[in-house]
Amino acid sequence: MLAAMPDSAPSPLSAGGTSPRDGGDACPGTLRLHRADDGALARVRIPGGVLSADRADALLAVAGRFGDGELHLTSRGNVQLRGLDAECGGGPAELLGAAGLLPSAAHERARNIVASPLAGLDGSPSVGGWLSELDSLVCGSAAAAALSGRFLFALDSGRGDVDALGADVTLIAEGGDCLLRVGAADEVFRLPSADGPRAALLAAELFLRAARDSGAWRVKDLPDDVRTALVRAVGATAGPVVHRPRPRTAEAPAPGPVTAPDSSTPATTATTVTAISVGVPLGRLAPAQWRLLTETARRHGNELRLTPWRGIVVPGPFGPTGQSAQPGQPTQSGRAAEALDALAAAGLITGPDSPWTGVGACIGHPGCAKSLSDVRAEAGAAVGPVGRLPVYWSGCERRCGHPHGEWIDVVVTPEGHRISHVRGEHRDPRTVVRNDPAALASAVSEARA
């Protein structure tokens, strides 16, 4: 039955008519579901990846009532619910709306905002104010409803982590100011921090005007001359130009405790554990794992931050660090250690020595009809020593959800598994391994070293 349906179709709750470009934008949402081989799929936008414990409970309830019970993290810090019944109708959207996860039906696919997950936790400035204001501005803009589900905002605390993700509009914290980047341009515009969210929305609205003739979904898709004119138009309303090339590598938060200087003892070098960070193998969370994360958040900061690297940060406070046997080397607080031990026992990544560190994969077969293989099973079979570089397994050439920066690309083709080293837009010579699991695992391990 599902195979006969279009790849993406509006649910009964979908509001109003369709954008002129909607026919080509198949990005799913909570109102527009994607039909996959394992059932319908809903993608729930979580701006900045920030969830309260109550909203996390609501997501789990929807996954259990209408889907396969699992929650899948995306490369934009969102959540996908899979295995939804074709007859679920508007049930998921109703429950998500009641939990505050669907503030505007018209904008539900436009609320694509990633944010530095450690902002305000590791000594870098918080971007929470930007996040709340930008989300509100997007939902209040009639024009912004026409943004593609692929268009992306990024809010960077100055670490360069989400600035490296290739967003369409990026705000970067710098002192009391912010820098505004449009697309991948090396030139950014300096403006007061308080003006950042409104400037980001204006840049998105100017993009929509620039894209009318070409039908581009993202800034990088614009013709070169149109993209140049867009950057100039944004600059005319912003501040002075600053040369700031975009970082090449996006670094995920390291699994384990997150520390920052202890503000209660400013005259010392004491630190405190402000959060804990965990990785999620292949971004796939069973109900028990999600429930444990939610309960951990509720006991501490009542917040979860889903990262674009398919991990989760749980803000504390967790308390001051102790002192290890190595002079000058702090240890994690007792509460953080206890929480991390429980999460590790549940199968999550809590330290850099996990063989799953840096391993990612698309959903693969049998969930996706386009996939040529069960790449998640293959990735698991090939897991070995922790590699220097991340690796991503894709069941077809589309490479859905692949990382950015430098990584090892494993793609299933009719000829075999093609392995290449990706550095931004460049790829090193490729190796093809044919029908030999041991040789495949060895080749991937060697490429990551």
Side-chain angles (χ1 to χ4, degrees), residues 66-431:
F66 298 102
D68 62 9
E70 296 184 332
L71 298 102
H72 300 257
L73 306 185
T74 78
S75 60
R76 292 184 168 190
N78 294 320
V79 172
Q80 288 190 163
L81 308 177
R82 302 189 66 93
L84 300 175
D85 191 291
E87 308 303 324
C88 67
E94 289 175 358
L95 291 183
L96 294 171
L101 289 164
L102 190 59
S104 171
H107 297 82
E108 64 113 357
R109 291 192 299 158
R111 301 170 67 228
N112 288 304
I113 308 173
V114 295
S116 296
L118 299 184
L121 299 173
D122 63 348
S124 63
S126 171
V127 296
W130 280 355
L131 178 61
S132 297
E133 185 177 356
L134 179 58
D135 189 30
S136 178
L137 288 170
V138 168
C139 290
S141 165
L147 288 171
S148 161
R150 308 173 193 182
F151 193 92
L152 181 64
F153 295 94
L155 306 178
D156 193 292
S157 66
R159 301 178 78 249
D161 52 359
V162 296
D163 186 19
L165 294 180
D168 297 281
V169 177
T170 304
L171 289 180
I172 308 158
E174 186 171 83
D177 294 335
C178 70
L179 305 176
L180 172 66
R181 187 189 307 280
V182 179
D186 287 345
E187 287 70 34
V188 297
F189 305 100
R190 184 183 299 278
L191 60 159
S193 180
D195 295 342
R198 192 163 295 279
L201 174 65
L202 177 59
E205 292 175 338
L206 288 172
F207 160 77
L208 287 170
R209 296 176 198 170
R212 284 174 182 166
D213 292 337
S214 66
W217 302 114
R218 304 196 61 189
V219 169
K220 67 180 181 180
D221 300 328
L222 291 169
D224 290 347
D225 58 335
V226 177
R227 185 168 57 250
T228 299
L230 169 63
V231 174
R232 288 176 181 167
V234 172
T237 65
V241 176
V242 178
H243 184 76
R244 182 70 60 85
R246 195 177 70 191
R248 293 184 177 182
T249 302
E251 295 188 6
V258 178
T259 62
D262 190 344
S263 59
S264 66
T265 55
T268 73
T269 57
T271 60
T272 185
V273 178
T274 58
I276 56 174
S277 172
V278 300
V280 178
L282 303 181
R284 186 177 183 176
L285 286 155
Q289 292 173 316
W290 185 266
R291 194 174 293 112
L292 177 59
L293 283 161
T294 303
E295 291 169 354
T296 303
R298 190 170 272 117
R299 287 196 302 270
H300 297 285
N302 200 44
E303 181 178 289
L304 297 165
R305 298 186 183 182
L306 317 183
T307 81
W309 299 275
R310 297 180 174 86
I312 296 181
V313 172
V314 183
F318 287 88
T321 57
Q323 192 68 31
S324 72
Q326 298 289 330
Q329 295 296 315
T331 62
Q332 57 203 44
S333 75
R335 286 187 293 169
E338 181 182 351
L340 287 167
D341 286 346
L343 293 167
L348 299 174
I349 302 168
T350 60
D353 56 348
S354 167
W356 283 104
T357 299
V359 179
C362 70
I363 196 66
H365 183 79
C368 176
K370 294 182 174 63
S371 179
L372 300 179
S373 182
D374 184 352
V375 287
R376 295 197 164 208
E378 291 174 340
V383 161
V386 178
R388 180 180 66 88
L389 295 174
V391 59
Y392 196 81
W393 297 67
S394 300
C396 73
E397 296 284 2
R398 295 189 306 164
R399 298 179 177 85
C400 295
H402 70 75
H404 293 264
E406 187 178 8
W407 47 289
I408 300 303
D409 183 38
V410 182
V411 180
V412 184
T413 72
E415 292 74 34
H417 290 72
R418 189 176 66 230
I419 304 169
S420 57
H421 185 170
V422 179
R423 295 181 176 89
E425 301 299 321
H426 304 285
R427 292 178 182 272
D428 283 358
R430 301 163 176 177
T431 300

